[in-house]
Structures are given as C-alpha cells and as structure tokens.
Amino acid sequence: MTEKLTQPERDSDLPTLLDNGWTHDADRDAIAKTFEFGNFIDAFGFMTRAAIWAEKWNHHPEWSNVYKTVEVTLTTHDVGGLSTLDLKLARKMDQLIG
Ligand SMILES: C[C@H](O)[C@H](O)[C@H]1CNC2=NC(N)=NC(=O)C2=N1
C-alpha cells in the first residue's frame, strides 16, 4: 500500500530535488518542474521515455506540453500527497535529461 512521505523522508529526499529545479506545492503536497528542450521532438521524446517508466511503475504524471516546454506535476492521488513514487519518477525524469 502506498503511503504518504514521512517527515524524515521529506527532510532527506526533497532538498536534492529542490536543488534540481523542482518546487514543492504545499497546498497540494506535490512537486513540479518545467523542462525546456531545444525543439518539439526532443520535448515529446522526453515525454515518451518518461511515459514508459510511469507505466512500468504504475505512477503517472500530471503534465502538459507546449512546443519545446513540458510542465510536470507529481503527486500521488491515492494518498492525497507525495509518496516515494513521486520522488522516484522525479529522479528518473532528471536522469532522462542527463
Ligand atoms: C488504478 C491505478 O493503479 C491507480 O489509479 C494508480 C495509477 N497511477 C497513479 N498515478 C499517480 N500520480 N497517483 C496515483 O495515485 C496513481 N494511481
């Protein structure tokens, strides 16, 4: 059963993501990041590769794409806030952009 992040998990895991351009939306208990690419194909390719991981982990982003920009919000709907799945997917997205 997916659980909400504990405070110790937040203290240890969130800072690195925040340093990597993620922001924390306290109201939703979600993290968000805007990814900018060189062109539309690179942006869509990022979404395609991230989608494969999202489906594999059964954990899906809330995201939108306009031309070279992909806006991502991650939260776990089943628990109404952040879980380790959000952190895992965020780290994977950061890994995909190299
Ligand atoms: C039925 C299915 O396993 C659930 O709806 C999964 C699918 N993907 C999900 N993605 C996200 N971000 N949060 C969830 O709670 C969630 N739940």
Side-chain angles (χ1 to χ4, degrees):
M1 172 62 191
T2 309
E3 308 282 333
K4 233 177 177 176
L5 282 181
T6 63
Q7 193 54 50
E9 286 172 323
R10 291 167 187 272
D11 296 344
S12 67
D13 296 354
L14 273 182
T16 304
L17 287 169
L18 300 181
D19 287 345
N20 265 352
W22 293 87
T23 57
H24 180 234
D25 174 349
D27 293 341
R28 289 199 63 197
D29 195 25
I31 53 174
K33 182 171 179 177
T34 299
F35 294 85
E36 300 283 353
F37 297 88
N39 55 61
F40 171 71
I41 292 300
D42 287 349
F44 195 81
F46 164 79
M47 295 179 82
T48 302
R49 293 185 295 150
I52 292 165
W53 289 99
E55 191 60 15
K56 177 182 173 77
W57 293 333
N58 189 35
H59 193 71
H60 305 87
E62 298 171 14
W63 53 3
S64 63
N65 160 243
V66 177
Y67 188 32
K68 302 189 276 191
T69 302
V70 179
E71 293 183 352
V72 178
T73 298
L74 301 176
T75 191
T76 303
H77 307 122
D78 291 343
V79 301
L82 287 173
S83 75
T84 54
L85 289 168
D86 299 301
L87 307 184
K88 190 161 91 165
L89 188 53
R91 283 191 283 264
K92 176 55 70 177
M93 288 182 168
D94 285 342
Q95 191 183 61
L96 290 175
I97 60 169

